[in-house]
Amino acid sequence: MWYVLQVRTGTEESIRLQCRSNIPEAVLERCFIPYYEEKKRIRGEWTIQKKVLFPGYVFVVTEDLNHLYDSLKTVIGLTKLIGTGKEIVPLTEEEKDFLLGFGGEEQVVKMSEGIIEGTKIIVTQGPLMGKEGYIKKVDRHKRKARLELEMFGRMQEVVVGLEIVEKRV
């Protein structure tokens, strides 16, 4: 089962490393942070940088929630496991499938490319292909798309890399 830890934004990598070193492998199958790629112009050169897709969240995979819960007490800076009320709820199969389809096994959402036809955005390649309905806003200058997804039981706004290569009227 996939669970989500809520942490202070900016401490995701530190928490991930603590989980990997403090929690036995028998309890914690995997601990990861989904990233997205963005293009940034640095000194005239376009470079691809990786940024955290869900700031303030770390994902863990375990079949033994009780041992994980006890082991997480050794992790400094952890806020909480995401759930409803007092019950800790794993990600749904749809959320898990979406994350795997979006970021792949390594959980890095690659840059997408697309065109604008009138007011319609058409993604021609990349993980955003077929997911145009999630796009709420495109910043062509910064090569980013703002998406609105239902995750962790509420609407989440995330940013991913999208380069618009052509605009047709």
Side-chain angles (χ1 to χ4, degrees), residues 103-120:
E105 201 55 47
E106 66 277 353
Q107 286 301 312
V108 176
V109 180
K110 304 278 186 212
M111 281 290 296
S112 294
E113 262 184 30
I115 59 173
I116 295 178
E117 261 184 22
T119 59
K120 194 175 173 191

Side-chain angles (χ1 to χ4, degrees), residues 11-51:
T11 63
E12 298 92 355
E13 192 60 39
S14 157
I15 300 291
R16 185 186 72 81
L17 292 172
Q18 283 185 65
C19 286
R20 300 242 348 249
S21 62
N22 295 358
I23 302 171
E25 281 183 35
V27 175
L28 184 68
E29 292 172 35
R30 188 168 169 215
C31 181
F32 63 93
I33 304 164
Y35 288 94
Y36 72 93
E37 289 182 346
E38 73 170 11
K39 278 190 177 177
K40 218 171 193 159
R41 198 173 187 122
I42 300 173
R43 290 187 214 99
E45 293 282 318
W46 284 106
T47 58
I48 291 183
Q49 296 182 328
K50 280 181 13 181
K51 297 274 180 104

Side-chain angles (χ1 to χ4, degrees), residues 66-165:
N66 293 330
H67 280 105
L68 175 70
Y69 188 77
D70 292 337
S71 301
L72 285 173
K73 292 175 182 164
T74 65
V75 177
I76 300 163
L78 180 68
T79 309
K80 66 179 179 181
L81 266 160
I82 298 284
T84 55
K86 291 189 183 288
E87 189 182 342
I88 297 163
V89 182
L91 288 182
T92 64
E93 278 303 310
E94 292 82 32
E95 291 172 330
K96 182 180 160 185
D97 291 343
F98 180 83
L99 284 171
L100 284 171
F102 207 44
E105 201 55 47
E106 66 277 353
Q107 286 301 312
V108 176
V109 180
K110 304 278 186 212
M111 281 290 296
S112 294
E113 262 184 30
I115 59 173
I116 295 178
E117 261 184 22
T119 59
K120 194 175 173 191
I121 298 163
I122 301 164
V123 179
T124 54
Q125 69 182 51
L128 271 180
M129 237 170 99
K131 296 178 177 69
E132 289 90 348
Y134 293 112
I135 299 173
K136 293 296 167 210
K137 188 177 180 207
V138 173
D139 185 336
R140 291 181 64 199
H141 180 70
K142 292 186 178 176
R143 292 171 167 74
K144 291 182 182 179
R146 198 168 289 285
L147 312 181
E148 208 169 75
L149 317 164
E150 181 149 345
M151 279 280 181
F152 330 131
R154 59 180 162 272
M155 291 308 278
Q156 292 285 336
E157 201 172 90
V158 295
V159 176
V160 294
L162 172 65
E163 185 163 12
I164 300 296
V165 292

